[in-house]
Amino acid sequence: MLHAQREENPATVARPIPPNAFHQLVEALPVIAWVADADGRVTYFNARWSEFVGQPWDPSLGDAHRLAVHPDDLPASRERWRDALATGTPFDGEHRFRRHDGVYRWHLVRAVPLRADGEPTRWIGTCVDIDDRRRGNDAARFLADASAALAHVTDPRSTLERLAKLAVPRFADWAAIDVLDGEGRIERVALAHADPTLLQRVWDGCRRHPVQLDAPHGTGAVLRTGTPEIVPDVPEAALEAMAVDEQHLAWLRDAGPRSFLCAPLELGDGRVGAASFVFSTSGRRYRPSDLDTATDLCQRATVALQNARLVEALRAADREKTEFLAVLAHELRNPLAPLRTGIDLVARTPSSSPAAQAALQAMSRQVTHLTHLLDDLLDVDRIGRGVLRIRRQPTSLAEALDVAVETSAPHLAAGGHPLERIGPDVTVMGDATRLAQVFSNLLDNAARYSVPGGRVALTTEVVGDEVDVSVRDAGAGLSPDDLQRVFEPFVRLDPDGPGGLGIGLTLARRLIGLLGGTVTAHSDGRGHGSTFRVRLPLADTPAAPPRSAPPTPLPTRTLRVLVADDNRDAADLLAMWLTTSGHEVHVAYDGEQALALGQQLRPDVALLDLGMPKLDGRDVARRLRAEQPAGELLLVALTGWGQAEDRQATAAAGFDHHFTKPIDLAVLDALLAG
C-alpha cells in the first residue's frame, strides 16, 4: 500500500535537476566552484571567483585564470591536471591563488569527472580556502622547529643570530635583531637574508642608516615602547618618507620592506631588544595572525636567551673557580717548597735527638699530605672540565697497589692499623699513576675513619672479565643516607670527625669512571665498618714487565747552579740543599737579577721560579736560552703553577723540565746527577 502510494505521489518521483536550478545551487555555494570540458578547458566559474580575484569571469579568455595561480605552484598544478585528464581520475591538490589585493591564499582544489558511456564529458571542481588552517599548521611547525633549534644554543649572541636565521625564509625574506645596551644605545647584532647575494648590501644599508630610538614607527618605536607593530603593506610614500637621501631611497626600494612586522624581546620586566621581520621581494604579506607567531617566537627566543645567559654565567663562575684554584695552589705551593726543603735539609744532618727525628717525620708526613690534598683538589677540577689526562693501557694491578700501600703507609702506621692484603696480581686496563692515587685515597680514608688499631683489608678478586678490589675497614661505618652522599664533593659526614676536604672519595669515583670502572660503598650501619669496592675491566694482554730503574748516579763534577725565586726562604733553603750536595750555587731574588747572573756566570743549570718581579721567569729563560743552547744549559721551572697551559708555556720558553712546588729533592738530585 505504501509502495503504491509512493508511486502515485508525484513528489516522490526522482527527476533530473533543471539547468537553472543547478546554476542557482552552484552560485549559492560559499566556495569557488567551476566547470571544465572534457579537454580540461574551464567553461564556468561561480561568483565567488569574481569576488576573490576582483574581476568578472570571461570564458573567452580561456586559461587566463591560471594567471592567478602562484608562479611557484603553477608547474606542479598543470602536471597534476594533465595526469587527471589522461587517466580520468579525480584531481586533488593545494596551491595559492592571488586575491584582488595581491595577497596569495592557499586553496584546496578538487575536481571530479562527469561521465557518459564511461568517458568523462566534463569536470566539476571546487576551490576551498584553507589558507588560515595551513598557515596555522605552518606556524605551529615553525615554532616547534624554532624551539628545538634554540634549545641547543648556549651562547647569548649565537641565540640571537640563530633567531634571525630561523625566520628566513619560512617567516621572512630578511630578519634583523637589535638589542639595547645599558646606556640605551642600539646595536644590530644579527641579520639574515633569503638571498645571500643581498645580505652584505642590506648590512651596509643598515650600518649607514641605523635604527633611531625616537622614531615614531618601526623598530625604534618597538624598542622604546615594547608594543609589537605590523604593517601589512608598506606604501611607496612610506619609503620616501623614511629615506634620508636618494641613495637611501634606492636601497629601500631594492631591499627594503614591502610588508613589515616587529616584536619586542623581553626578559622579565626588562626589554633587551626587538626582532624585525620583512617581506621584500617575495610578494608575501604579513597578516594579524603572523603577529601572534612573531610574538610567540620572540618569547621562545628570550627563554633560550635567558638559558644561554645562565650557561654563560655558569661558565664564567667555572672559569673564576678554576682561576681561584690555580692561584690557591700557587700560593700554597710557594710556602710548601721551603718547608719541604727545610725538613729534608735538617733530616740530612745527623741528630742525636729521637724527639727531633720524630718531629721531622711528622712534619714531613703533613707536608706530603697537604701536597696530596692540593693535587686532589686540582684533579677534581680538571675532571669536571674534562681536561684530565688518562692513559688507559694494560697495567699491573699489583704494582699500582704497591705504590698505594707505600704512599699510605705513614697514615696506617700512625693509627696502628695492620694491613691485610689478599689476592692475585692481574692486568687491568688502567693508568698506573691514577690507580695508585685512587687506592691510596681509599686506604687513607680507611685509616682516617678506623678505630685505633683497627685492621684494614685490601682484597683482590677476579669476577668474570673484571676484577674487584675491596678496601674494608673496622671503623665508624655508614648509614643508608651516608651511602648516598659519601661520594659527593666536599661532604664531611661527621663534622666532629677527622679533618679533610671531603674530595678523596669523589676523586676516586671520577677517576675510576674515566677508566671504565665503578666504585661503590657498603656498610652494615654505624659502628660496623665500611667497604669500598672498585671494579675494573681486565686487559686482554698482559702488562709490560717493569723496567728496573738504574741506580741513581752520583755527581761526577760540581755544577754551577743558578737558583732564582722571589720567595727568599725557598731560594735560600734550596741553595743550602744544593750546596750540601757539592754544587756551586748562586741565588737571585728577581728576574732582572737572575738574567744578569745568568749572563755573567753562564751556569750549567738554572732553577727558575716563574712569577718573579721585574722580569718573568719565562722571559729570563728565553733570553738565557738564546745565549746558551740546550746541551750547555739545563733550564728547570720550579713553580706553583701546574696547569696544562702553564707547562705548554714553559716548554715554549725553552725550559727542559717543569716541576711544581714542592719538588721531591731526591728527584732533583737525580736530575742534576744525570
Side-chain angles (χ1 to χ4, degrees):
M1 180 71 69
L2 291 175
H3 179 68
Q5 288 177 349
R6 285 198 185 107
E7 289 182 345
E8 294 172 358
N9 186 352
T12 64
V13 178
R15 295 188 179 130
I17 300 175
N20 60 339
F22 175 79
H23 181 269
Q24 292 174 3
L25 175 63
V26 173
E27 287 296 323
L29 290 175
V31 299
I32 297 171
W34 50 278
V35 178
D37 62 20
D39 295 327
R41 290 186 295 271
V42 177
T43 59
Y44 168 76
F45 270 112
N46 68 355
R48 302 292 86 72
W49 171 262
S50 299
E51 294 169 0
F52 183 83
V53 300
Q55 59 186 16
W57 161 249
D58 185 352
S60 65
L61 297 178
D63 285 346
H65 67 280
R66 294 194 179 276
L67 297 175
V69 179
H70 194 287
D72 292 346
D73 303 337
L74 189 56
S77 174
R78 279 177 168 166
E79 184 65 28
R80 289 196 303 271
W81 184 230
R82 279 195 289 265
D83 289 343
L85 292 173
T87 60
T89 56
F91 174 89
D92 196 327
E94 295 180 7
H95 53 245
R96 289 162 285 182
F97 287 117
R98 187 179 66 248
R99 199 168 60 186
H100 56 81
D101 57 0
V103 173
Y104 282 94
R105 292 186 65 86
W106 283 98
H107 285 72
L108 174 62
V109 182
R110 286 176 173 163
V112 295
L114 297 180
R115 303 176 185 274
D117 297 328
E119 294 295 327
T121 58
R122 55 181 173 170
W123 296 74
I124 297 179
T126 58
C127 303
V128 179
D129 191 318
I130 59 169
D131 194 79
D132 293 337
R133 185 186 72 191
R134 175 154 179 158
R135 283 179 174 269
N137 292 338
D138 289 346
R141 284 194 295 269
F142 169 58
L143 292 173
D145 293 344
S147 293
L150 290 169
H152 300 290
V153 185
T154 56
D155 172 72
R157 194 176 190 97
S158 297
T159 300
L160 298 175
E161 292 172 350
R162 179 66 64 88
L163 173 60
K165 292 178 180 178
L166 284 170
V168 176
R170 292 172 66 176
F171 192 69
D173 292 339
W174 61 274
I177 310 298
D178 298 277
V179 298
L180 289 167
D181 65 14
E183 299 180 4
R185 291 189 295 261
I186 302 172
E187 179 189 3
R188 178 149 288 178
V189 296
L191 184 69
H193 202 291
D195 186 350
T197 63
L198 292 178
L199 180 60
Q200 190 58 49
R201 291 183 60 187
V202 176
W203 260 122
D204 293 342
C206 292
R207 292 190 181 100
R208 286 195 301 268
H209 309 286
V211 174
Q212 300 299 318
L213 194 58
D214 58 354
H217 301 288
T219 304
V222 175
L223 282 167
R224 187 179 68 254
T225 65
T227 303
E229 184 173 311
I230 181 171
V231 183
D233 289 282
V234 180
E236 174 70 16
L239 298 181
E240 294 174 354
M242 291 168 58
V244 297
D245 52 34
E246 287 299 322
Q247 185 182 21
H248 189 199
L249 179 59
W251 175 78
L252 287 173
R253 285 172 173 166
D254 183 30
R258 297 297 182 269
S259 187
F260 172 80
L261 192 158
C262 186
L265 294 165
E266 296 179 319
L267 283 178
D269 297 330
R271 191 173 312 115
V272 296
S276 302
F277 307 101
V278 175
F279 283 139
S280 55
T281 57
S282 67
R284 293 181 288 176
R285 296 292 184 269
Y286 287 112
R287 306 175 189 179
S289 61
D290 292 324
L291 189 58
D292 294 334
T293 302
T295 302
D296 195 339
L297 176 64
C298 288
Q299 289 173 348
R300 298 179 190 219
T302 53
V303 170
L305 180 61
Q306 190 170 28
N307 291 339
R309 288 185 171 181
L310 289 174
V311 171
E312 187 178 61
L314 289 173
R315 285 174 175 165
D318 187 63
R319 287 193 298 270
E320 291 176 1
K321 177 202 67 177
T322 300
E323 292 169 3
F324 167 75
L325 290 176
V327 171
L328 174 67
H330 174 265
E331 294 303 317
L332 290 178
R333 289 185 191 281
N334 275 331
L336 281 174
L339 284 174
R340 166 58 66 195
T341 306
I343 291 169
D344 290 349
L345 186 62
V346 175
R348 172 181 281 188
T349 304
S351 173
S352 59
S353 169
Q357 291 294 331
L360 285 173
Q361 291 173 7
M363 292 165 62
S364 179
R365 285 195 300 270
Q366 294 307 312
V367 168
T368 301
H369 178 58
L370 184 54
T371 303
H372 288 168
L373 284 178
L374 271 177
D375 292 338
D376 285 355
L377 186 63
L378 294 174
D379 280 344
V380 168
D381 177 64
R382 293 185 186 111
I383 292 173
R385 293 185 290 120
V387 297
L388 185 72
R389 288 187 177 182
I390 292 289
R391 297 178 178 87
R392 293 191 74 220
Q393 58 188 6
T395 301
S396 168
L397 180 60
E399 291 181 15
L401 292 177
D402 287 343
V403 175
V405 170
E406 181 181 353
T407 303
S408 299
H411 292 91
L412 293 167
H417 304 299
L419 177 65
E420 179 184 2
R421 183 172 169 184
I422 305 171
D425 181 23
V426 294
T427 301
V428 297
M429 287 303 296
D431 181 316
T433 300
R434 294 305 179 182
L435 287 176
Q437 184 179 7
V438 165
F439 291 114
S440 175
N441 278 345
L442 294 179
L443 289 170
D444 287 350
N445 183 75
R448 183 178 295 114
Y449 289 98
S450 286
V451 296
R455 182 178 298 275
V456 175
L458 179 61
T459 305
T460 302
E461 181 182 3
V462 175
V463 181
D465 58 355
E466 296 178 315
V467 61
D468 277 348
V469 184
S470 300
V471 177
R472 186 173 69 255
D473 63 61
L478 297 168
S479 70
D481 290 340
D482 293 341
L483 291 173
Q484 302 300 320
R485 302 175 53 229
V486 69
F487 292 105
E488 295 177 8
F490 308 111
V491 168
R492 293 183 59 193
L493 300 177
D494 184 0
D496 298 326
L501 293 178
I503 59 173
L505 295 177
T506 302
L507 180 61
R509 170 169 277 188
R510 294 184 180 180
L511 285 174
I512 292 299
L514 293 175
L515 293 171
T518 59
V519 181
T520 56
H522 172 77
S523 177
D524 291 330
R526 288 289 187 176
H528 294 281
S530 305
T531 300
F532 289 87
R533 179 173 286 107
V534 176
R535 175 162 288 195
L536 288 165
L538 293 171
D540 295 330
T541 57
R547 293 180 296 177
S548 58
T552 302
L554 296 175
T556 57
R557 66 183 178 91
T558 296
L559 298 175
R560 184 180 294 114
V561 181
L562 170 62
V563 175
D565 197 325
D566 59 318
N567 185 323
R568 287 177 175 265
D569 289 338
D572 292 342
L573 287 171
L574 183 58
M576 291 174 62
W577 175 271
L578 294 171
T579 299
T580 62
S581 298
H583 300 296
E584 175 191 335
V585 185
H586 301 266
V587 181
Y589 302 115
D590 63 53
E592 289 183 354
Q593 188 180 12
L595 179 62
L597 277 174
Q599 292 173 331
Q600 175 188 346
L601 299 171
R602 298 184 69 82
D604 301 305
V605 181
L607 307 175
L608 305 178
D609 183 37
L610 297 184
M612 294 185 291
K614 297 184 180 180
L615 195 62
D616 182 85
R618 286 174 288 264
D619 294 328
V620 175
R622 275 188 284 266
R623 295 171 69 170
L624 291 180
R625 179 61 76 210
E627 299 182 11
Q628 290 182 261
E632 184 178 329
L633 171 64
L634 181 72
L635 282 173
V636 180
L638 293 182
T639 176
W641 303 105
Q643 305 280 27
E645 55 268 26
D646 301 319
R647 296 178 182 276
Q648 293 169 0
T650 53
F655 281 98
D656 300 292
H657 299 279
H658 180 122
F659 294 107
T660 54
K661 298 176 180 178
I663 186 174
D664 185 333
L665 294 176
V667 172
L668 179 60
D669 282 344
L671 177 67
L672 299 185

